[in-house]
Amino acid sequence: MDLFSGASFRSIELGLDQAQQKQSVLANNIANADTPGYKAKQVPFSQTLEHALKEPAIGAYKTHMEHVDFKGSESGSTRLNELKDRYHHNGNGVDIDKEMASLAENQIQYNTLIERLNGRFSSLQSVIRGGK
């Protein structure tokens, strides 16, 4: 019996992975706020979703050759989109206020996921101890 195979743990794990990746991209954008010609990058939601769904959380198999495969492409990397806007005379495309707001939003989402994960572990701990 695998206690951590439930959809709840899987969705929290995927959310944390996405938050970590977004954190990395935002930090890189902020670090390059003064770099001439740098274009701000973002992680598109559709690609993040596609990457998360490439390995389904449920066990599935094809029963007919014409059925759609359950796994997506084997590419494990997520492509980053460059934003086309220019905010500075040197061609830099980083809006520092927007990046900082996105960073704060991402941190709130990450903290929420961590609290949810702690709640799941507390529930398991309560069950293990017999509800005490």
Side-chain angles (χ1 to χ4, degrees):
M1 177 179 192
D2 190 0
L3 294 174
F4 306 109
S5 65
S8 179
F9 280 108
R10 177 77 174 143
S11 61
I12 293 171
E13 177 187 6
L14 293 173
L16 289 171
D17 288 345
Q18 192 274 339
Q20 182 276 327
Q21 185 177 24
K22 188 172 181 181
Q23 175 80 11
S24 177
V25 170
L26 289 169
N28 194 35
N29 286 346
I30 292 169
N32 287 292
D34 294 327
T35 303
Y38 180 81
K39 303 294 183 217
K41 294 175 179 56
Q42 68 179 3
V43 180
F45 176 76
S46 61
Q47 289 181 0
T48 303
L49 180 62
E50 179 183 324
H51 179 69
L53 293 177
K54 102 176 164 180
E55 294 181 20
I58 59 171
Y61 59 94
K62 289 171 58 170
T63 58
H64 193 274
M65 287 180 52
E66 294 180 7
H67 288 171
V68 177
D69 287 329
F70 288 96
K71 292 189 177 190
S73 66
E74 296 300 317
S75 170
S77 63
T78 301
R79 190 186 70 190
L80 301 177
N81 285 346
E82 287 188 359
L83 301 177
K84 307 291 187 235
D85 299 330
R86 284 183 15 177
Y87 293 101
H88 303 286
H89 67 282
N90 64 2
N92 187 292
V94 176
D95 179 359
I96 194 70
D97 293 330
K98 181 181 174 189
E99 298 297 322
M100 294 301 286
S102 294
L103 191 66
E105 179 183 357
N106 192 56
Q107 185 64 43
I108 290 169
Q109 291 173 349
Y110 182 85
N111 289 344
T112 302
L113 288 168
I114 291 295
E115 286 179 25
R116 184 65 186 128
L117 187 62
N118 285 338
R120 294 289 295 169
F121 283 130
S122 293
S123 296
L124 283 174
Q125 189 176 36
S126 177
V127 169
I128 290 169
R129 290 184 178 162
K132 296 179 184 177

